[in-house]
Amino acid sequence: AKRRRRKSMPVLALNLSVVMVLAGGTAAYGALSQTVTLEVDGKRDTVRTFGGTVADVLDDHGVVVRDGDRLNHRPTDPISDGDTIDVAYARPVRLTVDGVATEKVVFEPTVGRALASLGVAPPAGSYVSATSGKAVPRTGMKLVVSTPKNVTVVADGQAKTLTTTRPTVADVLDEAGVTLDSDDEIQPGADAFVAPGEKLRVVRIEKVQKTETVKIKHDTQVKEDPEALAGETEVVTPGKNGKSRE
């Protein structure tokens, strides 16, 4: 039997055409796209983009920049192949260190790095309200740092000085073994943060219920008598003073 080979030529030509189309598309993709480095909060990625500006790259990768955030380019800046776009989110922090509170803005994603950026290096054994690796949310957070300090507690006629890292007055009183009830007064307040060398005072308030008997004067009721003479009065029933317990 004779073999027909004419059909193989169109197939081969078609395959070559497909390869050429794919190669051409890849070349076009490489020519139109650009490679940039996108770093967001310390996380770095190399990305390809068809965008022409920094804002285009950020939009393509879901990066939302808010007021106060740090960006190494203007959003409208054009990009070139090999550029680096660096974004650092702003995070408000209320920082209290040994009783002194301040409002700060940090650009670091974790508590440890945020404290380091603020120049706060708690010594060993200090109290820190969050672990070093805890993420600082973009909405912000409160951070409390309490380093070892001497504090004097005055209660029940005795003064006791102790070294503590407890952050609040209530915490220090608990460490000192001072029990409180709802009527006691604490100076400063129980929720106040403790400063080095501070003196804490506990004033005991004792409420006593006392019952006392007091005299009550009787009332006088006047009734008119149409048969009585003018100016004449008569005591019908003598009044009697009473007593009351208060």
Side-chain angles (χ1 to χ4, degrees), residues 137-151:
R138 292 183 74 179
T139 53
M141 68 186 305
K142 295 179 181 179
L143 282 175
V144 179
V145 177
S146 182
T147 63
K149 63 182 70 65
N150 291 330
V151 177

Side-chain angles (χ1 to χ4, degrees), residues 2 4 11-12 20 23 35 38 57 68 75 86 95 100-101 111 113 125 137 149 159 163 190 218 220 234 237 240:
K2 294 183 180 180
R4 296 180 180 178
V11 172
L12 178 59
M20 292 177 64
T35 301
L38 178 61
V57 177
D86 190 355
L95 176 65
V100 179
V111 169
R113 290 172 58 180
K149 63 182 70 65
T163 302
H218 65 272
T220 301
E234 179 182 1
T237 304
K240 185 177 181 182

